[in-house]
Amino acid sequence: MKVIISGGGTGGHIFPAISIANEIRNRVSGTDILFVGAEGRMEMDRVPEAGYPIYGLPVKGFDRKNIFKNIKVLWNLYKSMKRAGYIVKDFAPDIVIGVGGYASGPTLKQAQRLGIPTLIQEQNSYAGVTNKMLAEKADKICVAYEGMDKFFPADKIIMTGNPVRANILDTSITKEEAKRQLGFDPERPLVLSVGGSLGARTINDALKTAYPEIVKAGASLLWQTGKLYYKDCAEFVGKKDNVVVTQFISRMDLAYRAADVMVSRAGASTISEIQLVGMPAVLIPSPNVAEDHQRKNAQALVSQDAAVMLLDTDCKEKLAETVITLLNDENKRKSLSENVKKMALPDAARKIVDEALKLIANKSAKK
């Protein structure tokens, strides 16, 4: 069996893609899996680290501010379509799975043109432009939220949830032991701040003001800054007791197990992980995403009393107070945890692979 998985750009696309690949490999031994990503994006590093080959396309997003720059964007799109065509023909996959992001457009478009089954995995509550364009000719569309028929043909939609990193569900150690392994006092509550794989400027700037108050209130802080902001934040904080500043958290399983409150953007993969582990969270949606989809993701939780939301514009002023209020209210944290767990859709990777295997079987039967 041969499978192409295409997409990326952020951890929110890449981690689900790798989870799907791992599930396929576990289910059908010997499957040949190839990734197709966008040159210069983080999938070009993360996918090989996970043990899979990847080809890059020169595709980039459209520049909405400077229309003249899109001449080069269109040229890159043309080159990407040509290269994707060569890759798909040469590899001859049984199915192509798109997880969103720039590269999935040309790759799935070429697969559809050649009559190869395609499956889309849409992580967000508001569908991305690429997935909406591909939906008409896609065979199945796997989603994580209700009401997605406003974007996609209803007869193609399967509710699966979003795949997450398998190790985050490990509960073999206690909260106290997880704190010790991360270097924190097990007696102090722990605030986990995650700004996404690249980092979030607003959250990092707000924490510069908020972290002394959080520590003064008796908590510790594990502060993941992201690649772009690490040096600045680390130098700003220096060496402080009960505060760890890091560019990237490799052991998110320990971080989730140890944390009492989480501060985060509202990307789809993060929300799926929060739901599965039952994490009380303060969500700060990024305003710099298409169609304001992170705010819609966060609002889906807030409407079920399953998370607290702070707008980006209010973050600096209100973050410390919001976090400390939650730390001091055990009943609220328990309520958020219980409610967010009710929204979880477990075994998403298994369900998505079930659909992929059905499509392959149907194609073989027709032959």
Side-chain angles (χ1 to χ4, degrees), residues 158-229:
I158 304 289
M159 177 70 83
T160 59
N162 288 324
V164 301
R165 294 167 280 193
N167 68 344
I168 69 159
L169 300 177
D170 179 19
T171 56
S172 59
I173 65 170
T174 64
K175 182 181 282 287
E176 290 72 25
E177 180 57 29
K179 287 178 182 177
R180 284 192 193 94
Q181 288 194 32
L182 290 169
F184 293 103
D185 182 346
E187 300 300 319
R188 294 173 68 98
L190 177 65
V191 176
L192 167 65
S193 176
V194 179
S197 46
L198 299 177
R201 182 191 296 276
T202 304
I203 294 177
N204 287 326
D205 285 347
L207 274 176
K208 287 178 182 179
T209 303
Y211 88 83
E213 296 181 56
I214 291 170
V215 173
K216 188 178 178 182
S220 302
L221 173 64
L222 176 53
W223 180 355
Q224 183 250 321
T225 63
K227 181 179 180 179
L228 300 178
Y229 307 104

Side-chain angles (χ1 to χ4, degrees), residues 61-70 73 102 126-130 132 287-293:
F62 282 92
D63 192 320
R64 300 181 187 187
K65 294 179 181 177
N66 189 335
I67 194 168
F68 295 107
K69 286 186 178 179
N70 289 322
V73 171
Y102 303 139
Y126 195 97
V129 173
T130 302
K132 285 190 282 189
N288 307 311
V289 293
E291 309 293 349
D292 201 21
H293 70 253

Side-chain angles (χ1 to χ4, degrees), residues 31-93:
T31 298
D32 198 357
I33 299 173
L34 175 68
F35 278 76
V36 179
E39 291 176 352
R41 306 290 286 187
M42 66 183 291
E43 60 264 28
M44 303 307 293
D45 295 321
R46 293 279 183 260
V47 168
E49 286 171 7
Y52 296 100
I54 185 168
Y55 286 150
L57 304 180
V59 64
K60 297 185 185 301
F62 282 92
D63 192 320
R64 300 181 187 187
K65 294 179 181 177
N66 189 335
I67 194 168
F68 295 107
K69 286 186 178 179
N70 289 322
I71 295 169
K72 187 174 182 180
V73 171
L74 289 169
W75 174 241
N76 283 332
L77 178 59
Y78 170 77
K79 289 196 295 182
S80 297
M81 288 294 292
K82 296 278 284 186
R83 190 180 298 180
Y86 293 137
I87 291 168
V88 173
K89 280 183 184 177
D90 184 61
F91 190 73

